[in-house]
PDB file of all heavy atoms in Angstrom:
ATOM      1  N   SER A1236      -0.287  12.090 -11.396  1.00 98.00           N
ATOM      2  CA  SER A1236      -1.431  12.816 -10.879  1.00 98.00           C
ATOM      3  C   SER A1236      -2.021  12.102  -9.662  1.00 98.00           C
ATOM      4  O   SER A1236      -2.728  12.684  -8.853  1.00 98.00           O
ATOM      5  CB  SER A1236      -2.471  12.959 -11.982  1.00 98.00           C
ATOM      6  OG  SER A1236      -2.907  11.756 -12.419  1.00 98.00           O
ATOM      7  N   HIS A1237      -1.824  10.771  -9.553  1.00 98.00           N
ATOM      8  CA  HIS A1237      -2.407   9.930  -8.466  1.00 98.00           C
ATOM      9  C   HIS A1237      -1.366   8.860  -8.198  1.00 98.00           C
ATOM     10  O   HIS A1237      -0.653   8.404  -9.093  1.00 98.00           O
ATOM     11  CB  HIS A1237      -3.673   9.228  -8.966  1.00 98.00           C
ATOM     12  CG  HIS A1237      -4.773  10.165  -9.384  1.00 98.00           C
ATOM     13  ND1 HIS A1237      -4.741  10.776 -10.593  1.00 98.00           N
ATOM     14  CD2 HIS A1237      -5.982  10.507  -8.812  1.00 98.00           C
ATOM     15  CE1 HIS A1237      -5.852  11.552 -10.742  1.00 98.00           C
ATOM     16  NE2 HIS A1237      -6.583  11.363  -9.637  1.00 98.00           N
ATOM     17  N   ILE A1238      -1.460   8.323  -7.006  1.00 99.00           N
ATOM     18  CA  ILE A1238      -0.554   7.155  -6.630  1.00 99.00           C
ATOM     19  C   ILE A1238      -1.367   6.076  -6.017  1.00 99.00           C
ATOM     20  O   ILE A1238      -2.266   6.302  -5.137  1.00 99.00           O
ATOM     21  CB  ILE A1238       0.509   7.642  -5.660  1.00 99.00           C
ATOM     22  CG1 ILE A1238       1.512   8.535  -6.395  1.00 99.00           C
ATOM     23  CG2 ILE A1238       1.286   6.406  -5.053  1.00 99.00           C
ATOM     24  CD1 ILE A1238       2.622   9.114  -5.605  1.00 99.00           C
ATOM     25  N   ILE A1239      -1.153   4.848  -6.582  1.00 98.00           N
ATOM     26  CA  ILE A1239      -1.821   3.691  -6.020  1.00 98.00           C
ATOM     27  C   ILE A1239      -0.733   2.720  -5.538  1.00 98.00           C
ATOM     28  O   ILE A1239       0.193   2.432  -6.318  1.00 98.00           O
ATOM     29  CB  ILE A1239      -2.730   2.955  -7.044  1.00 98.00           C
ATOM     30  CG1 ILE A1239      -3.771   3.890  -7.599  1.00 98.00           C
ATOM     31  CG2 ILE A1239      -3.336   1.710  -6.442  1.00 98.00           C
ATOM     32  CD1 ILE A1239      -4.668   3.307  -8.684  1.00 98.00           C
ATOM     33  N   ASN A1240      -0.861   2.226  -4.346  1.00 98.00           N
ATOM     34  CA  ASN A1240       0.042   1.225  -3.819  1.00 98.00           C
ATOM     35  C   ASN A1240      -0.713  -0.114  -3.798  1.00 98.00           C
ATOM     36  O   ASN A1240      -1.799  -0.197  -3.204  1.00 98.00           O
ATOM     37  CB  ASN A1240       0.512   1.584  -2.428  1.00 98.00           C
ATOM     38  CG  ASN A1240       1.377   0.496  -1.717  1.00 98.00           C
ATOM     39  OD1 ASN A1240       1.215   0.313  -0.506  1.00 98.00           O
ATOM     40  ND2 ASN A1240       2.178  -0.191  -2.461  1.00 98.00           N
ATOM     41  N   THR A1241      -0.153  -1.125  -4.488  1.00 98.00           N
ATOM     42  CA  THR A1241      -0.819  -2.440  -4.516  1.00 98.00           C
ATOM     43  C   THR A1241       0.159  -3.454  -3.848  1.00 98.00           C
ATOM     44  O   THR A1241       1.359  -3.409  -4.002  1.00 98.00           O
ATOM     45  CB  THR A1241      -1.119  -2.835  -5.972  1.00 98.00           C
ATOM     46  OG1 THR A1241      -1.683  -4.191  -5.901  1.00 98.00           O
ATOM     47  CG2 THR A1241       0.078  -2.835  -6.907  1.00 98.00           C
ATOM     48  N   GLY A1242      -0.434  -4.385  -3.090  1.00 98.00           N
ATOM     49  CA  GLY A1242       0.371  -5.398  -2.484  1.00 98.00           C
ATOM     50  C   GLY A1242      -0.330  -6.271  -1.482  1.00 98.00           C
ATOM     51  O   GLY A1242      -1.535  -6.389  -1.551  1.00 98.00           O
ATOM     52  N   VAL A1243       0.498  -6.865  -0.604  1.00 98.00           N
ATOM     53  CA  VAL A1243      -0.067  -7.819   0.370  1.00 98.00           C
ATOM     54  C   VAL A1243       0.187  -7.226   1.831  1.00 98.00           C
ATOM     55  O   VAL A1243       0.949  -6.297   2.029  1.00 98.00           O
ATOM     56  CB  VAL A1243       0.554  -9.206   0.265  1.00 98.00           C
ATOM     57  CG1 VAL A1243       0.235  -9.748  -1.112  1.00 98.00           C
ATOM     58  CG2 VAL A1243       2.074  -9.170   0.497  1.00 98.00           C
ATOM     59  N   ALA A1244      -0.604  -7.778   2.785  1.00 98.00           N
ATOM     60  CA  ALA A1244      -0.461  -7.307   4.195  1.00 98.00           C
ATOM     61  C   ALA A1244      -0.972  -8.316   5.100  1.00 98.00           C
ATOM     62  O   ALA A1244      -1.642  -9.270   4.723  1.00 98.00           O
ATOM     63  CB  ALA A1244      -1.283  -5.994   4.297  1.00 98.00           C
ATOM     64  N   GLY A1245      -0.670  -8.130   6.415  1.00 98.00           N
ATOM     65  CA  GLY A1245      -1.181  -8.916   7.436  1.00 98.00           C
ATOM     66  C   GLY A1245      -2.451  -8.324   8.015  1.00 98.00           C
ATOM     67  O   GLY A1245      -2.615  -7.137   8.161  1.00 98.00           O
ATOM     68  N   SER A1246      -3.481  -9.276   8.290  1.00 98.00           N
ATOM     69  CA  SER A1246      -4.741  -8.770   8.756  1.00 98.00           C
ATOM     70  C   SER A1246      -4.678  -8.405  10.280  1.00 98.00           C
ATOM     71  O   SER A1246      -4.017  -9.110  11.077  1.00 98.00           O
ATOM     72  CB  SER A1246      -5.830  -9.817   8.631  1.00 98.00           C
ATOM     73  OG  SER A1246      -6.961  -9.501   9.316  1.00 98.00           O
ATOM     74  N   LEU A1247      -5.358  -7.358  10.634  1.00 98.00           N
ATOM     75  CA  LEU A1247      -5.428  -6.934  12.108  1.00 98.00           C
ATOM     76  C   LEU A1247      -6.827  -7.112  12.624  1.00 98.00           C
ATOM     77  O   LEU A1247      -7.143  -6.676  13.686  1.00 98.00           O
ATOM     78  CB  LEU A1247      -4.965  -5.518  12.238  1.00 98.00           C
ATOM     79  CG  LEU A1247      -3.506  -5.213  11.922  1.00 98.00           C
ATOM     80  CD1 LEU A1247      -3.214  -3.699  12.102  1.00 98.00           C
ATOM     81  CD2 LEU A1247      -2.573  -6.014  12.781  1.00 98.00           C
ATOM     82  N   LYS A1248      -7.717  -7.797  11.891  1.00 98.00           N
ATOM     83  CA  LYS A1248      -9.079  -8.005  12.395  1.00 98.00           C
ATOM     84  C   LYS A1248      -9.477  -9.415  12.079  1.00 98.00           C
ATOM     85  O   LYS A1248      -9.203  -9.998  11.011  1.00 98.00           O
ATOM     86  CB  LYS A1248     -10.084  -7.095  11.625  1.00 98.00           C
ATOM     87  CG  LYS A1248     -10.062  -5.632  12.084  1.00 98.00           C
ATOM     88  CD  LYS A1248     -11.243  -4.846  11.573  1.00 98.00           C
ATOM     89  CE  LYS A1248     -11.269  -3.459  12.068  1.00 98.00           C
ATOM     90  NZ  LYS A1248     -11.663  -3.351  13.498  1.00 98.00           N
ATOM     91  N   ASN A1249     -10.202  -9.986  13.117  1.00 97.00           N
ATOM     92  CA  ASN A1249     -10.542 -11.409  12.965  1.00 97.00           C
ATOM     93  C   ASN A1249     -11.381 -11.689  11.759  1.00 97.00           C
ATOM     94  O   ASN A1249     -11.173 -12.718  11.004  1.00 97.00           O
ATOM     95  CB  ASN A1249     -11.392 -11.876  14.195  1.00 97.00           C
ATOM     96  CG  ASN A1249     -10.541 -11.989  15.419  1.00 97.00           C
ATOM     97  OD1 ASN A1249      -9.281 -12.153  15.321  1.00 97.00           O
ATOM     98  ND2 ASN A1249     -11.146 -11.905  16.581  1.00 97.00           N
ATOM     99  N   GLU A1250     -12.262 -10.757  11.426  1.00 98.00           N
ATOM    100  CA  GLU A1250     -13.182 -11.035  10.257  1.00 98.00           C
ATOM    101  C   GLU A1250     -12.465 -10.840   8.932  1.00 98.00           C
ATOM    102  O   GLU A1250     -13.016 -11.238   7.903  1.00 98.00           O
ATOM    103  CB  GLU A1250     -14.419 -10.188  10.369  1.00 98.00           C
ATOM    104  CG  GLU A1250     -14.241  -8.656  10.251  1.00 98.00           C
ATOM    105  CD  GLU A1250     -13.975  -7.934  11.607  1.00 98.00           C
ATOM    106  OE1 GLU A1250     -13.400  -8.609  12.532  1.00 98.00           O
ATOM    107  OE2 GLU A1250     -14.318  -6.792  11.753  1.00 98.00           O
TER     108      GLU A1250
END
Side-chain angles (χ1 to χ4, degrees):
S1236 59
H1237 303 74
I1238 291 177
I1239 303 179
N1240 173 217
T1241 176
V1243 299
S1246 168
L1247 295 177
K1248 283 193 176 286
N1249 287 339
E1250 65 270 29

